[in-house]
Amino acid sequence: MMGAVLIEQLKQVADFRTTDGRRHPLWLVLLLVIMETMNGYVGYRGWGDFVKRHSRVLIEKFGIEKHGVPSYSTIRRVVMGVDFDKLAERFNEWAKNYVDLEESEWCATDGKSIKGTVQNYSSSNQNFVSIVSVFACKRGLVVGMEKFENQQKSEIQVVQELVTALGLEGVVLSFDSLHCQKNLSNDYRER
């Protein structure tokens, strides 16, 4: 059930690829990336290793007939080209509707910069992309994520917007030291 609902959300992400040579549906490649990441495979090579190692099961489970599982190159092209904002929107919608958090359940928030997105290497005022996520610890699930560029928004602002957008109430939120400021703690306590 959970997987079927996630697949329906992933099918709503617009495919940026031309129809020529498109061998695998976008939703399938995105679902595989999510599965690979959840199983500890990271990076393009790791994701490629996952599909090779589990190709027989994936082909059977998802009815992949003609072209087999996506290659490392296909996964890489999709991840590089997909509109992350639209993907995050669909993922957050799925998580919001599927994951029903209990009263006082622990959720951790954290932001991580994405390697390879740094601009202006020689400048002290660099710009890079980061991802903020909210993680339900008991369930081991990410319940929301958001992308931002550090010169456009701060992690503090993005976390506040994400917690509000997800409608998280009655849960225990943990933050890193960046969020340990007097005004912020009062804002979060009121939720």
Side-chain angles (χ1 to χ4, degrees):
M1 176 68 176
M2 172 175 80
V5 176
L6 179 57
I7 289 170
E8 289 307 311
Q9 289 294 336
L10 293 175
K11 284 181 177 180
Q12 294 180 37
V13 177
D15 198 334
F16 63 94
R17 302 171 295 170
T18 62
T19 54
D20 295 343
R22 190 187 305 175
R23 296 180 176 180
H24 303 92
L26 182 66
W27 69 264
L28 176 63
V29 179
L30 295 174
L31 181 65
L32 291 175
V33 169
I34 292 168
M35 291 171 60
E36 294 155 353
T37 303
M38 290 176 68
N39 282 285
Y41 292 82
V42 285
Y44 303 126
R45 297 275 182 210
W47 295 335
D49 291 344
F50 177 89
V51 293
K52 280 183 186 175
R53 182 169 290 137
H54 302 287
S55 63
R56 190 174 323 152
V57 173
L58 294 170
I59 288 169
E60 182 181 312
K61 181 69 177 169
F62 295 109
I64 304 168
E65 296 173 8
K66 190 174 181 182
H67 299 290
V69 294
S71 68
Y72 150 85
S73 298
T74 298
I75 295 169
R76 183 176 182 276
R77 270 191 307 278
V78 166
V79 170
M80 290 177 69
V82 74
D83 183 342
F84 184 83
D85 293 331
K86 297 293 182 191
L87 175 59
E89 182 182 308
R90 300 293 11 123
F91 179 86
N92 289 345
E93 188 64 30
W94 167 78
K96 187 175 171 181
N97 292 323
Y98 181 77
V99 182
D100 190 23
L101 298 174
E102 298 171 1
E103 183 79 21
S104 299
E105 190 166 340
W106 283 81
C107 292
T109 61
D110 198 14
K112 296 292 181 201
S113 59
I114 299 175
K115 181 180 175 183
T117 63
V118 175
Q119 297 172 3
N120 308 325
Y121 285 97
S122 59
S123 171
S124 61
N125 192 15
Q126 296 175 346
N127 188 33
F128 51 89
V129 176
S130 294
I131 304 285
V132 169
S133 60
V134 177
F135 181 76
C137 301
K138 179 180 173 183
R139 299 162 195 276
L141 289 173
V142 172
V143 295
M145 62 181 166
E146 191 69 43
K147 175 187 91 167
F148 71 98
E149 290 186 37
N150 72 308
Q151 287 188 348
Q152 295 176 354
K153 287 186 173 183
S154 72
E155 181 178 324
I156 294 170
Q157 179 184 4
V158 174
V159 166
Q160 289 176 335
E161 291 171 358
L162 183 58
V163 169
T164 301
L166 293 172
L168 297 178
E169 294 183 10
V171 298
V172 178
L173 295 167
S174 64
F175 305 95
D176 57 19
S177 60
L178 173 67
H179 301 273
C180 295
Q181 299 176 20
K182 185 177 181 179
N183 293 340
L184 290 175
S185 64
N186 290 334
D187 288 344
Y188 290 124
R189 199 173 296 132
E190 291 173 6
R191 293 174 197 250

